[in-house]
Coordinates of all heavy atoms in Angstrom, one line a residue:
M1 N -10.9 43.7 -5.2 CA -11.2 44.6 -4.2 C -11.8 43.8 -3.0 O -12.6 42.9 -3.2 CB -12.2 45.7 -4.7 CG -12.5 46.8 -3.7 SD -13.8 47.9 -4.4 CE -14.6 48.4 -2.9
A2 N -11.5 44.2 -1.8 CA -12.0 43.5 -0.7 C -13.5 43.7 -0.4 O -13.9 44.9 -0.6 CB -11.2 43.8 0.6
V3 N -14.2 42.7 -0.2 CA -15.7 42.8 0.1 C -15.9 42.2 1.5 O -15.3 41.2 1.9 CB -16.5 42.0 -0.9 CG1 -17.9 42.0 -0.6 CG2 -16.3 42.6 -2.3
P4 N -16.7 42.9 2.3 CA -17.0 42.4 3.7 C -17.6 41.0 3.6 O -18.4 40.7 2.7 CB -17.9 43.4 4.3 CG -17.7 44.7 3.5 CD -17.3 44.3 2.1
K5 N -17.2 40.2 4.6 CA -17.6 38.8 4.6 C -19.1 38.6 4.6 O -19.7 37.7 3.9 CB -17.0 38.1 5.8 CG -17.0 36.6 5.8 CD -16.3 36.0 7.0 CE -16.3 34.5 6.9 NZ -15.7 33.9 8.1
K6 N -19.8 39.5 5.3 CA -21.2 39.4 5.5 C -22.0 39.8 4.2 O -23.1 39.4 4.0 CB -21.7 40.3 6.6 CG -21.4 39.7 8.0 CD -22.1 40.5 9.1 CE -21.5 41.9 9.3 NZ -22.1 42.6 10.4
K7 N -21.3 40.5 3.3 CA -22.0 41.0 2.1 C -22.0 39.9 1.0 O -22.7 40.0 0.0 CB -21.2 42.2 1.5 CG -21.3 43.4 2.4 CD -22.7 44.1 2.3 CE -22.7 45.4 3.1 NZ -24.0 46.0 3.1
T8 N -21.1 38.9 1.2 CA -21.1 37.8 0.2 C -22.1 36.7 0.5 O -22.1 36.1 1.6 CB -19.7 37.2 0.2 OG1 -18.7 38.2 0.0 CG2 -19.6 36.2 -1.0
S9 N -23.1 36.6 -0.4 CA -24.2 35.6 -0.2 C -23.7 34.2 -0.3 O -22.7 33.9 -0.9 CB -25.3 35.9 -1.2 OG -24.9 35.6 -2.5
H10 N -24.5 33.3 0.2 CA -24.2 31.8 0.1 C -24.1 31.4 -1.4 O -23.3 30.6 -1.8 CB -25.2 31.0 0.8 CG -25.2 31.2 2.3 ND1 -24.1 30.8 3.1 CD2 -26.1 31.8 3.2 CE1 -24.4 31.1 4.4 NE2 -25.5 31.7 4.4
A11 N -25.1 32.0 -2.2 CA -25.1 31.6 -3.6 C -23.9 32.1 -4.3 O -23.3 31.4 -5.1 CB -26.4 32.2 -4.2
K12 N -23.5 33.3 -4.0 CA -22.3 33.9 -4.7 C -21.0 33.1 -4.3 O -20.2 32.8 -5.2 CB -22.1 35.4 -4.2 CG -21.1 36.1 -5.0 CD -21.5 36.4 -6.4 CE -20.4 37.0 -7.3 NZ -20.8 37.0 -8.7
K13 N -21.0 32.7 -3.0 CA -19.8 31.9 -2.6 C -19.8 30.5 -3.3 O -18.8 30.1 -3.7 CB -19.9 31.7 -1.0 CG -18.7 31.3 -0.4 CD -18.9 31.0 1.1 CE -19.3 32.3 1.9 NZ -19.5 32.0 3.3
G14 N -21.0 30.0 -3.4 CA -21.1 28.7 -4.0 C -20.8 28.7 -5.5 O -20.1 27.8 -6.0
K15 N -21.2 29.8 -6.2 CA -20.9 29.9 -7.6 C -19.4 30.1 -7.8 O -18.8 29.5 -8.8 CB -21.6 31.1 -8.2 CG -23.1 30.9 -8.5 CD -23.8 32.1 -8.9 CE -25.3 31.9 -8.9 NZ -26.0 33.2 -9.1
R16 N -18.7 30.8 -6.9 CA -17.3 31.0 -7.0 C -16.5 29.7 -6.8 O -15.6 29.3 -7.5 CB -16.8 32.0 -6.0 CG -15.3 32.4 -6.1 CD -14.9 33.5 -5.2 NE -15.1 33.2 -3.8 CZ -15.9 33.8 -2.9 NH1 -16.7 34.8 -3.3 NH2 -16.0 33.4 -1.6
R17 N -17.0 28.9 -5.8 CA -16.4 27.6 -5.5 C -16.8 26.5 -6.4 O -16.3 25.4 -6.2 CB -16.7 27.3 -4.0 CG -16.0 28.3 -3.1 CD -16.4 28.0 -1.6 NE -15.8 29.0 -0.8 CZ -15.9 29.1 0.6 NH1 -16.6 28.2 1.2 NH2 -15.3 30.0 1.3
S18 N -17.7 26.7 -7.3 CA -18.1 25.6 -8.2 C -16.9 25.2 -9.1 O -17.0 24.1 -9.7 CB -19.3 26.0 -9.1 OG -18.9 27.0 -10.0
H19 N -15.9 26.0 -9.2 CA -14.7 25.6 -10.1 C -13.7 24.9 -9.3 O -12.6 24.6 -9.8 CB -14.2 26.9 -10.7 CG -15.1 27.6 -11.7 ND1 -15.3 27.1 -12.9 CD2 -16.0 28.6 -11.5 CE1 -16.3 27.9 -13.5 NE2 -16.7 28.8 -12.6
W20 N -13.9 24.7 -8.0 CA -12.9 24.1 -7.1 C -13.0 22.6 -7.3 O -13.6 21.8 -6.5 CB -13.1 24.3 -5.7 CG -12.8 25.7 -5.2 CD1 -12.6 26.8 -6.0 CD2 -12.7 26.2 -3.9 NE1 -12.3 27.9 -5.2 CE2 -12.4 27.5 -3.9 CE3 -12.9 25.5 -2.6 CZ2 -12.3 28.3 -2.7 CZ3 -12.7 26.3 -1.5 CH2 -12.4 27.6 -1.5
N21 N -12.5 22.1 -8.4 CA -12.5 20.6 -8.6 C -11.1 20.1 -8.9 O -10.2 20.9 -9.3 CB -13.5 20.3 -9.8 CG -13.3 21.2 -11.0 OD1 -12.3 21.9 -11.1 ND2 -14.2 21.1 -11.9
I22 N -10.9 18.9 -8.7 CA -9.6 18.3 -8.8 C -9.6 17.5 -10.2 O -10.5 16.7 -10.4 CB -9.3 17.3 -7.7 CG1 -9.3 18.1 -6.4 CG2 -8.0 16.6 -7.9 CD1 -9.2 17.2 -5.1
A23 N -8.6 17.8 -11.0 CA -8.5 17.1 -12.3 C -7.9 15.8 -12.0 O -7.0 15.6 -11.2 CB -7.7 17.9 -13.2
S24 N -8.4 14.8 -12.8 CA -7.8 13.4 -12.6 C -6.4 13.4 -13.3 O -6.2 14.1 -14.3 CB -8.7 12.4 -13.3 OG -8.9 12.7 -14.7
P25 N -5.5 12.7 -12.7 CA -4.1 12.7 -13.2 C -4.0 12.0 -14.5 O -4.8 11.1 -14.8 CB -3.3 11.9 -12.1 CG -4.4 11.1 -11.4 CD -5.6 11.8 -11.5
N26 N -3.0 12.4 -15.3 CA -2.8 11.8 -16.6 C -2.3 10.3 -16.4 O -1.5 10.1 -15.5 CB -1.7 12.5 -17.3 CG -2.2 13.4 -18.4 OD1 -3.4 13.3 -18.7 ND2 -1.3 14.2 -19.0
V27 N -2.8 9.5 -17.2 CA -2.4 8.0 -17.1 C -2.0 7.5 -18.4 O -2.6 7.8 -19.4 CB -3.7 7.2 -16.6 CG1 -3.4 5.7 -16.6 CG2 -4.0 7.6 -15.1
S28 N -0.8 6.9 -18.5 CA -0.4 6.2 -19.7 C 0.0 4.8 -19.3 O 0.0 4.4 -18.1 CB 0.8 6.9 -20.3 OG 1.9 6.9 -19.5
R29 N 0.3 4.0 -20.3 CA 0.7 2.6 -20.0 C 2.2 2.4 -20.1 O 2.9 2.9 -20.9 CB 0.0 1.7 -21.0 CG -1.5 1.7 -20.8 CD -2.1 0.3 -21.2 NE -3.5 0.3 -20.8 CZ -4.0 -0.3 -19.7 NH1 -3.2 -0.8 -18.8 NH2 -5.3 -0.2 -19.4
C30 N 2.7 1.5 -19.2 CA 4.1 1.1 -19.2 C 4.4 0.4 -20.4 O 3.6 -0.5 -20.8 CB 4.4 0.3 -17.9 SG 6.0 -0.3 -17.9
S31 N 5.5 0.7 -21.1 CA 5.8 0.0 -22.4 C 6.4 -1.3 -22.1 O 6.5 -2.1 -23.0 CB 6.8 0.9 -23.2 OG 8.0 1.1 -22.4
H32 N 6.8 -1.6 -20.9 CA 7.4 -2.9 -20.5 C 6.4 -3.9 -20.1 O 6.3 -5.0 -20.6 CB 8.5 -2.7 -19.5 CG 9.3 -4.0 -19.2 ND1 9.1 -4.7 -18.0 CD2 10.2 -4.7 -19.9 CE1 9.9 -5.7 -18.0 NE2 10.5 -5.8 -19.2
C33 N 5.6 -3.5 -19.0 CA 4.7 -4.5 -18.4 C 3.2 -4.2 -18.8 O 2.3 -5.0 -18.5 CB 4.9 -4.6 -16.9 SG 4.4 -3.1 -16.1
G34 N 2.9 -3.0 -19.4 CA 1.6 -2.7 -19.8 C 0.7 -2.2 -18.6 O -0.5 -1.9 -18.8
E35 N 1.3 -2.0 -17.4 CA 0.5 -1.5 -16.3 C 0.3 0.0 -16.5 O 1.1 0.7 -17.1 CB 1.3 -1.8 -15.0 CG 0.5 -1.6 -13.7 CD -0.5 -2.7 -13.6 OE1 -0.2 -3.9 -13.9 OE2 -1.6 -2.4 -13.1
T36 N -0.8 0.5 -15.9 CA -1.1 1.9 -16.0 C -0.1 2.7 -15.0 O 0.1 2.2 -13.9 CB -2.5 2.3 -15.6 OG1 -2.7 1.7 -14.3 CG2 -3.5 1.7 -16.5
C37 N 0.5 3.8 -15.5 CA 1.4 4.6 -14.7 C 1.4 6.0 -15.2 O 0.9 6.3 -16.3 CB 2.8 3.9 -14.7 SG 3.5 3.8 -16.3
R38 N 1.9 6.9 -14.4 CA 2.0 8.3 -14.8 C 3.1 8.4 -15.9 O 4.1 7.8 -15.8 CB 2.4 9.2 -13.6 CG 1.6 9.0 -12.4 CD 0.2 9.7 -12.5 NE 0.3 11.0 -13.0 CZ 0.5 12.1 -12.2 NH1 0.6 11.9 -10.9 NH2 0.6 13.3 -12.7
P39 N 2.9 9.3 -16.8 CA 3.9 9.5 -17.9 C 5.2 10.2 -17.3 O 5.1 11.0 -16.4 CB 3.2 10.4 -18.9 CG 2.1 11.0 -18.2 CD 1.7 10.1 -17.1
H40 N 6.3 9.9 -17.9 CA 7.6 10.5 -17.5 C 8.0 10.1 -16.1 O 8.7 10.9 -15.4 CB 7.7 12.0 -17.7 CG 7.2 12.4 -19.1 ND1 8.1 12.3 -20.2 CD2 6.1 13.0 -19.5 CE1 7.4 12.7 -21.2 NE2 6.2 13.1 -20.9
R41 N 7.5 8.9 -15.6 CA 7.9 8.5 -14.3 C 8.3 7.0 -14.4 O 7.8 6.3 -15.3 CB 6.8 8.7 -13.3 CG 6.6 10.1 -12.8 CD 5.3 10.4 -12.3 NE 5.1 11.7 -11.8 CZ 4.8 12.7 -12.6 NH1 4.6 12.5 -13.9 NH2 4.6 14.0 -12.2
V42 N 9.1 6.6 -13.4 CA 9.5 5.1 -13.4 C 8.2 4.3 -13.0 O 7.5 4.7 -12.2 CB 10.6 4.9 -12.3 CG1 10.9 3.5 -12.2 CG2 11.8 5.7 -12.7
C43 N 8.1 3.2 -13.7 CA 6.9 2.3 -13.5 C 7.1 1.7 -12.1 O 8.2 1.2 -11.7 CB 6.9 1.2 -14.5 SG 5.6 0.0 -14.2
S44 N 6.0 1.8 -11.3 CA 6.1 1.3 -9.9 C 6.0 -0.2 -9.8 O 6.3 -0.8 -8.8 CB 5.1 2.0 -9.0 OG 3.8 1.7 -9.5
K45 N 5.5 -0.9 -10.9 CA 5.3 -2.3 -10.9 C 6.6 -3.0 -11.3 O 7.0 -4.0 -10.7 CB 4.2 -2.7 -11.9 CG 2.8 -2.1 -11.5 CD 2.2 -2.9 -10.3 CE 0.9 -2.3 -10.0 NZ 0.3 -2.8 -8.7
C46 N 7.3 -2.6 -12.4 CA 8.4 -3.3 -12.9 C 9.7 -2.5 -12.8 O 10.8 -3.0 -13.0 CB 8.2 -3.7 -14.4 SG 8.0 -2.4 -15.5
G47 N 9.6 -1.2 -12.5 CA 10.8 -0.4 -12.3 C 11.5 0.0 -13.6 O 12.6 0.4 -13.6
H48 N 10.8 0.0 -14.7 CA 11.3 0.4 -16.0 C 11.0 1.9 -16.3 O 9.9 2.3 -15.9 CB 10.8 -0.5 -17.1 CG 11.6 -1.7 -17.3 ND1 11.5 -2.7 -16.3 CD2 12.4 -2.2 -18.3 CE1 12.3 -3.8 -16.7 NE2 12.8 -3.4 -17.9
Y49 N 11.9 2.5 -16.9 CA 11.7 3.9 -17.5 C 12.0 3.8 -18.9 O 13.2 3.7 -19.2 CB 12.4 4.9 -16.7 CG 12.1 6.3 -17.2 CD1 11.0 7.0 -16.7 CD2 12.9 7.0 -18.1 CE1 10.7 8.2 -17.1 CE2 12.6 8.2 -18.5 CZ 11.5 8.9 -18.1 OH 11.2 10.1 -18.5
G50 N 11.1 3.9 -19.8 CA 11.4 3.7 -21.2 C 11.7 2.3 -21.5 O 10.9 1.4 -21.1
D51 N 12.9 2.0 -22.0 CA 13.3 0.6 -22.2 C 14.4 0.2 -21.2 O 14.9 -0.9 -21.3 CB 13.8 0.4 -23.7 CG 14.9 1.4 -24.0 OD1 15.2 2.3 -23.2 OD2 15.5 1.3 -25.1
R52 N 14.7 1.0 -20.3 CA 15.7 0.7 -19.3 C 15.1 0.3 -18.0 O 14.1 0.8 -17.6 CB 16.7 1.9 -19.0 CG 17.5 2.3 -20.2 CD 18.5 3.3 -19.8 NE 17.9 4.5 -19.2 CZ 18.3 5.0 -18.0 NH1 19.2 4.4 -17.3 NH2 17.8 6.1 -17.6
E53 N 15.8 -0.6 -17.2 CA 15.3 -1.0 -15.9 C 16.2 -0.1 -14.9 O 17.4 -0.3 -14.8 CB 15.5 -2.5 -15.6 CG 15.0 -2.9 -14.2 CD 15.1 -4.3 -13.9 OE1 15.9 -5.0 -14.6 OE2 14.5 -4.8 -12.9
V54 N 15.5 0.8 -14.2 CA 16.2 1.7 -13.4 C 16.0 1.4 -11.9 O 16.7 1.9 -11.0 CB 15.9 3.2 -13.7 CG1 16.4 3.6 -15.0 CG2 14.4 3.4 -13.6
L55 N 15.0 0.6 -11.6 CA 14.7 0.1 -10.3 C 14.6 -1.4 -10.3 O 13.9 -1.9 -11.2 CB 13.4 0.8 -9.7 CG 13.5 2.2 -9.1 CD1 12.0 2.6 -8.7 CD2 14.4 2.2 -7.9
V56 N 15.2 -2.0 -9.3 CA 15.0 -3.5 -9.1 C 13.9 -3.7 -8.1 O 14.1 -3.4 -6.9 CB 16.3 -4.2 -8.8 CG1 16.0 -5.7 -8.6 CG2 17.3 -4.0 -9.8
I57 N 12.7 -4.1 -8.5 CA 11.6 -4.4 -7.6 C 11.5 -5.9 -7.4 O 11.3 -6.6 -8.4 CB 10.3 -3.8 -8.1 CG1 10.5 -2.2 -8.2 CG2 9.2 -4.1 -7.2 CD1 9.4 -1.5 -8.9
D58 N 11.7 -6.4 -6.2 CA 11.6 -7.8 -6.0 C 10.3 -8.2 -5.3 O 10.0 -7.9 -4.2 CB 12.8 -8.3 -5.1 CG 13.0 -7.4 -3.9 OD1 12.7 -6.2 -4.0 OD2 13.4 -8.0 -2.8
N59 N 9.4 -8.7 -6.2 CA 8.1 -9.3 -5.7 C 7.6 -10.3 -6.6 O 8.0 -10.4 -7.7 CB 7.1 -8.1 -5.4 CG 6.9 -7.3 -6.7 OD1 7.5 -7.5 -7.7 ND2 6.1 -6.3 -6.5
Ligands
LIG1 ZN1 6.0 -1.5 -15.9

């Protein structure tokens, strides 16, 4: 139900917004180079996904 803006106290607003937090992303290790990377994504360091090389990264 809609509540007028002036009726909502600063405390009430703060308590509602106390759950506005950002969860840290899941991190796993690359099975090829051991670098930390997101799961189910191509490794940005070596270009491997699982045991296959799907990206050629020259550095
Ligand atoms: Zn890797």
Side-chain angles (χ1 to χ4, degrees):
M1 188 182 150
V3 175
K5 193 177 183 181
K6 287 191 288 185
K7 295 280 184 184
T8 306
S9 66
H10 294 292
K12 190 71 188 170
K13 197 186 292 182
K15 280 172 192 170
R16 184 174 66 241
R17 293 178 182 178
S18 69
H19 298 278
W20 289 13
N21 46 14
I22 299 171
S24 59
N26 256 352
V27 170
S28 66
R29 293 213 171 262
C30 174
S31 59
H32 184 254
C33 67
E35 196 69 37
T36 54
C37 58
R38 306 287 308 276
H40 306 285
R41 282 161 182 83
V42 176
C43 177
S44 60
K45 296 284 181 193
C46 63
H48 276 69
Y49 183 82
D51 54 353
R52 295 190 300 126
E53 187 179 13
V54 290
L55 276 177
V56 177
I57 297 171
D58 48 327
N59 53 3

